[in-house]
Amino acid sequence: MSENRNEQNVVTTRCCIVGGGPAGIMLGFLLSRAGVEVIVLEKHTDFLRDFRGDTIHPSTLELLAELGLLDEFLTVPHQELRGVQVTFEGKTIPIADFAHLPTQCKFIAFMPQWDFLNFLSSKAKEFPTFNLFMQTEATDLLEENGNVVGVKATTSTGELAIKADLVVGTDGRHSVIREKAGLSVQDFGVPIDVLWMRIPKNPAIGEQSLGYVKSDKFMVLIDRHDYFQCGFLIPKGQFDAVKNRGLTALQADIRELAPFVGDYVAELDSWDKISLLTVKIDRLRQWYKPGLLCIGDAAHAMSPAGGVGVNLAIQDAVATVNQLTKSLQKGPVRIDELAQIQRRRMWPVRVIQSGQIAVHRRLINASTARATIIPSAFFWLLRHVPFLRRIPAYLVGIGPRPEHIRT
Ligand SMILES: Cc1cc2nc3c(=O)[nH]c(=O)nc-3n(C[C@H](O)[C@H](O)[C@H](O)COP(=O)(O)OP(=O)(O)OC[C@H]3O[C@@H](n4cnc5c(N)ncnc54)[C@H](O)[C@@H]3O)c2cc1C
């Protein structure tokens, strides 16, 4: 980086990555490891946010193994989920078994995402070509003759321009970069939103299911040692209606799904403790233009269904590095190289998003927003034919077209 925050506050680098989520930090780590100078912009002061998704998938753990970081990574406190079970109408049904995955780690590591991002960014900081600008929010693109040549950003001390041979938008599902680039978005519509909250946990409670379904209610509970991170599905746009029913009704719904939360649910005594997360599934028709590429949720916003968005974002980052490193080591990249990344990643994205759309349709009837009956034959099969649990395990744990470190 030309460390010339000069009078006009302009810095120059090879690759400017906008967004310090899983896609952006992994991309920054891998490019700087390959000697490419990067600046990663993250608008927040830290990674400490609740609403990101805590799942580190077997395929991501495999990448960490390929990078020689796995053993150290596994010393960071985490829980290991070796199978997924859902409690459906009170009956616990195993739906995925990771034991047979062709990876070193046959489990999903549950780790608060800020721990994962802190780990990866601390490793990246060991490379002199890695620069992370926290509290720096990209607000616009810099363009010259139809080429993106950098971004404008706001920092705690004023405006900053970052000039770069390549800008990568990894700024998530509300991406400013894709909006400013005018890239066209295909929106698939999702009939649900999620209420996101913490419920203190009785330490005596052992392992529980991840998902809970009962009549028209669906909930996910992520065990974070001393509390449950709870995701409670509501029909899209119905938060006001839920509020009108009152907190006691919501608490009762949660207790009905997971009676073991007990009186702890009463700690949800204010709507301030409950965040509304809007869920989307969308996809850019074209992920790039000259000087610019979008990956991760900025290119294809994922719903929480299956908990696979983080994995996909990381796989995008690896594919980007595998495709672009040689060019970026020298200078700008060609547009056909950017197109190649979209070609490679579009298929896995289509497969996973189609699966998520199907899950939403099956679980929630879009017109009445009431649960439809999930074919009990499907659950019967998973319950009685253990072999079949390998299929969801592969789709969630590895996913289509896994990427590997090549640089
Ligand atoms: C309710 C919910 C639960 C989910 N749970 C899971 C789960 O358990 N497992 C899973 O795999 N996936 C889950 N997902 C999906 C997952 O969160 C995303 O697919 C994944 O986070 C995408 O990663 P990303 O790096 O592309 O974007 P993000 O994780 O969204 O990261 C984007 C980053 O960019 C920063 N940023 C945004 N705008 C700017 C800007 N202008 N300038 C600078 N920085 C900016 C943000 O602060 C953020 O740090 C969930 C999604 C939802 C909605």
Side-chain angles (χ1 to χ4, degrees), residues 172-206:
R173 56 187 186 272
H174 305 293
S175 170
V176 166
I177 293 300
R178 78 181 188 184
E179 182 206 323
K180 296 290 178 189
L183 295 172
S184 146
V185 183
Q186 199 178 359
D187 194 335
F188 297 99
V190 171
I192 56 158
D193 285 326
V194 176
L195 300 184
W196 201 242
M197 55 213 141
R198 292 178 177 202
I199 303 173
K201 185 187 150 203
N202 176 347
I205 292 175

Tab-separated table of all heavy atoms in Angstrom, residues 172-206:
chain	number	residue	atom	x	y	z
A	172	GLY	N	-21.958	-7.989	1.818
A	172	GLY	CA	-23.148	-8.657	2.313
A	172	GLY	C	-24.430	-8.323	1.585
A	172	GLY	O	-24.437	-7.737	0.513
A	173	ARG	N	-25.529	-8.763	2.224
A	173	ARG	CA	-26.809	-8.755	1.505
A	173	ARG	C	-27.423	-7.385	1.306
A	173	ARG	O	-28.402	-7.260	0.583
A	173	ARG	CB	-27.789	-9.733	2.164
A	173	ARG	CG	-28.060	-9.514	3.615
A	173	ARG	CD	-28.915	-10.676	4.138
A	173	ARG	NE	-29.331	-10.480	5.503
A	173	ARG	CZ	-28.613	-10.859	6.554
A	173	ARG	NH1	-27.439	-11.444	6.385
A	173	ARG	NH2	-29.065	-10.659	7.767
A	174	HIS	N	-26.888	-6.358	1.977
A	174	HIS	CA	-27.358	-4.994	1.686
A	174	HIS	C	-26.242	-4.230	0.977
A	174	HIS	O	-26.032	-3.034	1.236
A	174	HIS	CB	-27.764	-4.292	2.987
A	174	HIS	CG	-28.779	-5.054	3.787
A	174	HIS	ND1	-30.067	-5.252	3.342
A	174	HIS	CD2	-28.692	-5.701	4.976
A	174	HIS	CE1	-30.729	-5.977	4.234
A	174	HIS	NE2	-29.913	-6.270	5.226
A	175	SER	N	-25.537	-4.895	0.104
A	175	SER	CA	-24.321	-4.352	-0.519
A	175	SER	C	-24.508	-2.978	-1.170
A	175	SER	O	-25.336	-2.788	-2.059
A	175	SER	CB	-23.833	-5.344	-1.586
A	175	SER	OG	-22.808	-4.769	-2.354
A	176	VAL	N	-23.696	-2.039	-0.702
A	176	VAL	CA	-23.653	-0.707	-1.318
A	176	VAL	C	-22.904	-0.797	-2.651
A	176	VAL	O	-23.235	-0.117	-3.620
A	176	VAL	CB	-22.888	0.261	-0.371
A	176	VAL	CG1	-22.513	1.549	-1.073
A	176	VAL	CG2	-23.727	0.554	0.849
A	177	ILE	N	-21.904	-1.672	-2.665
A	177	ILE	CA	-21.051	-1.763	-3.852
A	177	ILE	C	-21.853	-2.215	-5.067
A	177	ILE	O	-21.779	-1.623	-6.138
A	177	ILE	CB	-19.867	-2.740	-3.565
A	177	ILE	CG1	-18.945	-2.133	-2.504
A	177	ILE	CG2	-19.096	-3.085	-4.831
A	177	ILE	CD1	-18.324	-0.805	-2.864
A	178	ARG	N	-22.672	-3.251	-4.889
A	178	ARG	CA	-23.429	-3.733	-6.048
A	178	ARG	C	-24.470	-2.705	-6.471
A	178	ARG	O	-24.771	-2.550	-7.647
A	178	ARG	CB	-24.041	-5.102	-5.778
A	178	ARG	CG	-25.301	-5.117	-4.930
A	178	ARG	CD	-25.756	-6.564	-4.755
A	178	ARG	NE	-27.052	-6.664	-4.127
A	178	ARG	CZ	-27.603	-7.817	-3.802
A	178	ARG	NH1	-26.973	-8.958	-3.997
A	178	ARG	NH2	-28.778	-7.852	-3.245
A	179	GLU	N	-24.988	-1.969	-5.491
A	179	GLU	CA	-25.988	-0.944	-5.820
A	179	GLU	C	-25.327	0.193	-6.612
A	179	GLU	O	-25.821	0.604	-7.665
A	179	GLU	CB	-26.587	-0.418	-4.514
A	179	GLU	CG	-27.664	0.621	-4.716
A	179	GLU	CD	-27.773	1.548	-3.520
A	179	GLU	OE1	-27.614	1.084	-2.372
A	179	GLU	OE2	-27.975	2.765	-3.763
A	180	LYS	N	-24.175	0.660	-6.128
A	180	LYS	CA	-23.499	1.773	-6.807
A	180	LYS	C	-22.995	1.340	-8.188
A	180	LYS	O	-22.873	2.157	-9.097
A	180	LYS	CB	-22.317	2.281	-5.966
A	180	LYS	CG	-22.735	2.871	-4.634
A	180	LYS	CD	-23.471	4.185	-4.801
A	180	LYS	CE	-23.932	4.733	-3.459
A	180	LYS	NZ	-24.836	5.903	-3.591
A	181	ALA	N	-22.698	0.052	-8.335
A	181	ALA	CA	-22.216	-0.433	-9.636
A	181	ALA	C	-23.371	-0.609	-10.618
A	181	ALA	O	-23.151	-0.841	-11.802
A	181	ALA	CB	-21.486	-1.763	-9.450
A	182	GLY	N	-24.588	-0.548	-10.093
A	182	GLY	CA	-25.758	-0.693	-10.966
A	182	GLY	C	-25.918	-2.114	-11.496
A	182	GLY	O	-26.501	-2.320	-12.564
A	183	LEU	N	-25.420	-3.096	-10.738
A	183	LEU	CA	-25.549	-4.498	-11.186
A	183	LEU	C	-26.983	-4.979	-10.941
A	183	LEU	O	-27.556	-4.714	-9.873
A	183	LEU	CB	-24.539	-5.381	-10.443
A	183	LEU	CG	-23.069	-5.063	-10.739
A	183	LEU	CD1	-22.142	-5.843	-9.809
A	183	LEU	CD2	-22.717	-5.358	-12.197
A	184	SER	N	-27.523	-5.668	-11.922
A	184	SER	CA	-28.939	-6.011	-11.846
A	184	SER	C	-29.164	-7.244	-10.949
A	184	SER	O	-28.434	-8.232	-11.018
A	184	SER	CB	-29.428	-6.218	-13.279
A	184	SER	OG	-30.379	-7.185	-13.347
A	185	VAL	N	-30.186	-7.148	-10.090
A	185	VAL	CA	-30.429	-8.180	-9.074
A	185	VAL	C	-31.710	-8.941	-9.392
A	185	VAL	O	-32.727	-8.348	-9.718
A	185	VAL	CB	-30.608	-7.524	-7.678
A	185	VAL	CG1	-30.797	-8.586	-6.599
A	185	VAL	CG2	-29.449	-6.613	-7.347
A	186	GLN	N	-31.623	-10.259	-9.265
A	186	GLN	CA	-32.805	-11.113	-9.413
A	186	GLN	C	-33.251	-11.491	-7.997
A	186	GLN	O	-32.493	-12.154	-7.271
A	186	GLN	CB	-32.351	-12.368	-10.176
A	186	GLN	CG	-33.435	-13.147	-10.803
A	186	GLN	CD	-32.851	-14.339	-11.565
A	186	GLN	OE1	-31.629	-14.539	-11.622
A	186	GLN	NE2	-33.722	-15.135	-12.136
A	187	ASP	N	-34.443	-11.053	-7.615
A	187	ASP	CA	-34.914	-11.287	-6.241
A	187	ASP	C	-35.892	-12.452	-6.242
A	187	ASP	O	-36.853	-12.446	-7.002
A	187	ASP	CB	-35.595	-10.008	-5.725
A	187	ASP	CG	-35.810	-10.049	-4.232
A	187	ASP	OD1	-35.896	-11.160	-3.678
A	187	ASP	OD2	-35.880	-8.972	-3.615
A	188	PHE	N	-35.651	-13.451	-5.390
A	188	PHE	CA	-36.505	-14.637	-5.406
A	188	PHE	C	-37.637	-14.588	-4.371
A	188	PHE	O	-38.455	-15.478	-4.326
A	188	PHE	CB	-35.656	-15.903	-5.210
A	188	PHE	CG	-34.678	-16.084	-6.330
A	188	PHE	CD1	-33.358	-15.707	-6.191
A	188	PHE	CD2	-35.106	-16.568	-7.555
A	188	PHE	CE1	-32.457	-15.840	-7.231
A	188	PHE	CE2	-34.220	-16.695	-8.614
A	188	PHE	CZ	-32.889	-16.332	-8.447
A	189	GLY	N	-37.624	-13.540	-3.535
A	189	GLY	CA	-38.707	-13.409	-2.566
A	189	GLY	C	-38.666	-14.523	-1.534
A	189	GLY	O	-38.470	-15.680	-1.869
A	190	VAL	N	-38.814	-14.165	-0.281
A	190	VAL	CA	-38.776	-15.157	0.795
A	190	VAL	C	-39.960	-14.851	1.706
A	190	VAL	O	-40.178	-13.698	2.056
A	190	VAL	CB	-37.446	-15.014	1.589
A	190	VAL	CG1	-37.472	-15.877	2.834
A	190	VAL	CG2	-36.264	-15.393	0.719
A	191	PRO	N	-40.738	-15.873	2.084
A	191	PRO	CA	-41.944	-15.578	2.862
A	191	PRO	C	-41.708	-15.416	4.364
A	191	PRO	O	-42.661	-15.341	5.124
A	191	PRO	CB	-42.817	-16.814	2.590
A	191	PRO	CG	-41.846	-17.904	2.334
A	191	PRO	CD	-40.640	-17.287	1.704
A	192	ILE	N	-40.441	-15.408	4.782
A	192	ILE	CA	-40.192	-15.363	6.236
A	192	ILE	C	-39.213	-14.255	6.621
A	192	ILE	O	-38.410	-13.795	5.804
A	192	ILE	CB	-39.596	-16.688	6.753
A	192	ILE	CG1	-38.313	-17.031	5.969
A	192	ILE	CG2	-40.606	-17.805	6.711
A	192	ILE	CD1	-37.384	-17.960	6.682
A	193	ASP	N	-39.298	-13.842	7.869
A	193	ASP	CA	-38.238	-13.084	8.529
A	193	ASP	C	-37.878	-13.841	9.800
A	193	ASP	O	-38.543	-14.833	10.150
A	193	ASP	CB	-38.719	-11.665	8.862
A	193	ASP	CG	-38.771	-10.780	7.610
A	193	ASP	OD1	-37.908	-10.981	6.731
A	193	ASP	OD2	-39.652	-9.920	7.515
A	194	VAL	N	-36.841	-13.378	10.470
A	194	VAL	CA	-36.388	-14.098	11.665
A	194	VAL	C	-36.316	-13.134	12.842
A	194	VAL	O	-35.799	-12.019	12.707
A	194	VAL	CB	-34.989	-14.723	11.433
A	194	VAL	CG1	-34.472	-15.379	12.711
A	194	VAL	CG2	-35.030	-15.740	10.308
A	195	LEU	N	-36.857	-13.569	13.977
A	195	LEU	CA	-36.633	-12.827	15.221
A	195	LEU	C	-35.426	-13.462	15.892
A	195	LEU	O	-35.371	-14.679	16.077
A	195	LEU	CB	-37.851	-12.917	16.142
A	195	LEU	CG	-39.155	-12.361	15.572
A	195	LEU	CD1	-40.266	-12.410	16.615
A	195	LEU	CD2	-38.968	-10.932	15.068
A	196	TRP	N	-34.449	-12.642	16.232
A	196	TRP	CA	-33.146	-13.122	16.692
A	196	TRP	C	-32.951	-12.657	18.125
A	196	TRP	O	-33.052	-11.465	18.395
A	196	TRP	CB	-32.096	-12.503	15.755
A	196	TRP	CG	-30.764	-13.176	15.676
A	196	TRP	CD1	-29.573	-12.622	16.033
A	196	TRP	CD2	-30.458	-14.467	15.153
A	196	TRP	NE1	-28.554	-13.504	15.773
A	196	TRP	CE2	-29.066	-14.645	15.240
A	196	TRP	CE3	-31.228	-15.509	14.636
A	196	TRP	CZ2	-28.428	-15.810	14.819
A	196	TRP	CZ3	-30.589	-16.665	14.226
A	196	TRP	CH2	-29.213	-16.800	14.318
A	197	MET	N	-32.736	-13.565	19.038
A	197	MET	CA	-32.669	-13.183	20.464
A	197	MET	C	-31.862	-14.196	21.269
A	197	MET	O	-31.635	-15.316	20.815
A	197	MET	CB	-34.085	-13.093	21.028
A	197	MET	CG	-34.881	-14.373	20.825
A	197	MET	SD	-36.606	-14.005	20.571
A	197	MET	CE	-37.086	-15.154	19.322
A	198	ARG	N	-31.456	-13.769	22.434
A	198	ARG	CA	-30.721	-14.668	23.341
A	198	ARG	C	-31.630	-15.098	24.474
A	198	ARG	O	-32.316	-14.268	25.063
A	198	ARG	CB	-29.549	-13.917	23.970
A	198	ARG	CG	-28.475	-13.556	23.004
A	198	ARG	CD	-27.388	-12.778	23.731
A	198	ARG	NE	-26.303	-12.484	22.803
A	198	ARG	CZ	-25.072	-12.204	23.179
A	198	ARG	NH1	-24.751	-12.171	24.450
A	198	ARG	NH2	-24.149	-11.941	22.281
A	199	ILE	N	-31.562	-16.398	24.790
A	199	ILE	CA	-32.310	-16.899	25.942
A	199	ILE	C	-31.294	-17.527	26.891
A	199	ILE	O	-30.573	-18.451	26.490
A	199	ILE	CB	-33.347	-17.961	25.525
A	199	ILE	CG1	-34.307	-17.373	24.477
A	199	ILE	CG2	-34.112	-18.472	26.733
A	199	ILE	CD1	-35.263	-18.391	23.885
A	200	PRO	N	-31.197	-17.017	28.108
A	200	PRO	CA	-30.237	-17.618	29.043
A	200	PRO	C	-30.521	-19.107	29.184
A	200	PRO	O	-31.654	-19.560	29.006
A	200	PRO	CB	-30.519	-16.882	30.358
A	200	PRO	CG	-31.229	-15.643	29.967
A	200	PRO	CD	-31.978	-15.941	28.701
A	201	LYS	N	-29.448	-19.859	29.523
A	201	LYS	CA	-29.578	-21.313	29.481
A	201	LYS	C	-29.269	-21.933	30.835
A	201	LYS	O	-28.288	-21.533	31.488
A	201	LYS	CB	-28.577	-21.823	28.439
A	201	LYS	CG	-28.650	-23.274	28.164
A	201	LYS	CD	-27.506	-23.703	27.255
A	201	LYS	CE	-27.144	-25.135	27.553
A	201	LYS	NZ	-25.802	-25.477	27.155
A	202	ASN	N	-30.075	-22.882	31.215
A	202	ASN	CA	-29.775	-23.675	32.406
A	202	ASN	C	-28.554	-24.535	32.087
A	202	ASN	O	-28.598	-25.349	31.167
A	202	ASN	CB	-31.001	-24.543	32.715
A	202	ASN	CG	-30.755	-25.468	33.886
A	202	ASN	OD1	-29.611	-25.633	34.322
A	202	ASN	ND2	-31.823	-26.057	34.390
A	203	PRO	N	-27.449	-24.363	32.833
A	203	PRO	CA	-26.216	-25.092	32.487
A	203	PRO	C	-26.388	-26.612	32.504
A	203	PRO	O	-25.616	-27.339	31.876
A	203	PRO	CB	-25.219	-24.651	33.565
A	203	PRO	CG	-25.882	-23.580	34.355
A	203	PRO	CD	-27.328	-23.513	33.998
A	204	ALA	N	-27.409	-27.091	33.193
A	204	ALA	CA	-27.590	-28.551	33.285
A	204	ALA	C	-28.168	-29.139	31.987
A	204	ALA	O	-28.155	-30.357	31.805
A	204	ALA	CB	-28.527	-28.860	34.452
A	205	ILE	N	-28.635	-28.290	31.088
A	205	ILE	CA	-29.256	-28.813	29.860
A	205	ILE	C	-28.197	-29.397	28.938
A	205	ILE	O	-27.193	-28.738	28.636
A	205	ILE	CB	-30.023	-27.680	29.130
A	205	ILE	CG1	-31.238	-27.268	29.953
A	205	ILE	CG2	-30.477	-28.127	27.740
A	205	ILE	CD1	-31.976	-26.091	29.379
A	206	GLY	N	-28.420	-30.619	28.497
A	206	GLY	CA	-27.458	-31.283	27.598
A	206	GLY	C	-27.738	-30.941	26.147
A	206	GLY	O	-28.444	-29.972	25.847
